Amino acid sequence: MRASPDVVPSSARVVVLVSGGGSNLAALLEAQRDPAWGARVVGVVSDRAGAGGLEIARAAGVATAVVAPRDFPDREAWDRGMAQAVGVFEPAWVVSVGFMRILGAPFLDRFAQRVINTHPALLPSFPGAHGVRDALAHGVRVTGCTVHLVDAGVDTGPILAQRAVEVLAGDDEATLHERIKVEERALLVDVVGRAAREGLTVEGRATRFG
Ligand code: GRF
């Protein structure tokens, strides 16, 4: 399937940010096979040329861009580079799925309250890069996933949706993360579709579709 950015309605346009494998990206691309879903991935941007998600995007005929920090003199310049690369696609929504860098003010100001992230823990518990490992180490019996808006903090933005996942006896980080990712992909597809179809209202930390 080839994306046609010029004919995709402005409210449907989604740019996905990936650093790694991209199973969440694959789920979004699968969802858009049904036009009723309402969103369309028009571009995929990565900080790493080797990100598996870029291959998934290319195979689906979706345009890609790489914005590598080493190509920029400093952090702020990289943020501006990211904003420019993403802005080319004129997205209504920017969806960060396993994007392992913090986005700074030059990026977030431009896409204020339109950047969605998925995190493999029930925020505000266990933010950061090791949400699954940290939850296991804490001995929680229930963890899960959170889809939220991105603000200047680390996984601190207003929550859009969450799903719980039970921790099973014998779980290690990999087995637990795989079960979380099953829920995470479904939740993300639901949230991105609703955001595109209905829009989103944000008042402080309170969010609602529509
Ligand atoms: C997801 O669990 C995401 O929340 C976390 O990294 C994982 C990315 O998975 N930050 P994938 O690359 O979409 O398969």
Side-chain angles (χ1 to χ4, degrees):
M1 184 190 342
R2 172 155 285 283
S4 312
D6 44 338
V7 297
V8 178
S10 58
S11 62
R13 304 175 69 84
V14 171
V15 167
V16 177
L17 310 182
V18 285
S19 295
S23 74
N24 281 282
L25 167 64
L28 295 172
L29 292 170
E30 177 64 26
Q32 74 183 22
R33 290 160 65 94
D34 177 2
W37 180 53
R40 178 78 80 88
V41 179
V42 293
V44 172
V45 178
S46 181
D47 58 324
R48 291 180 51 239
L54 293 173
E55 276 309 311
I56 292 173
R58 288 185 198 115
V62 174
T64 62
V66 175
V67 187
R70 68 170 173 276
D71 295 336
F72 295 84
D74 56 34
R75 172 62 209 274
E76 204 179 310
W78 174 77
D79 263 300
R80 283 198 303 273
M82 279 293 295
Q84 194 178 0
V86 169
V88 163
F89 296 106
E90 300 182 1
W93 304 100
V94 180
V95 182
S96 154
V97 289
F99 188 67
M100 300 310 280
R101 290 185 191 275
I102 306 296
L103 294 161
F107 187 91
L108 294 177
D109 289 350
R110 173 143 175 199
F111 302 103
Q113 305 203 330
R114 293 189 287 144
V115 185
I116 294 170
N117 182 50
T118 173
H119 180 75
L122 291 174
L123 294 171
S125 292
F126 312 116
H130 304 294
V132 180
R133 188 187 308 173
D134 295 345
L136 260 183
H138 197 83
V140 297
R141 295 293 198 263
V142 175
T143 181
C145 51
T146 303
V147 178
H148 65 97
L149 289 173
V150 176
D151 66 8
V154 176
D155 300 325
T156 52
I159 290 168
L160 299 172
Q162 293 183 299
R163 272 196 195 180
V165 173
E166 209 176 330
V167 180
L168 303 180
D171 258 341
D172 59 21
E173 186 178 357
T175 59
L176 180 57
H177 199 173
E178 271 317 307
R179 281 206 320 288
I180 290 172
K181 282 173 69 168
V182 171
E183 300 301 326
E184 196 178 13
R185 290 190 284 265
L187 191 66
L188 184 70
V189 164
D190 184 52
V191 166
V192 172
R194 288 196 70 181
R197 293 190 307 272
E198 302 170 32
L200 192 62
T201 303
V202 183
E203 283 158 10
R205 292 201 59 84
T207 65
R208 62 180 164 78
F209 296 106

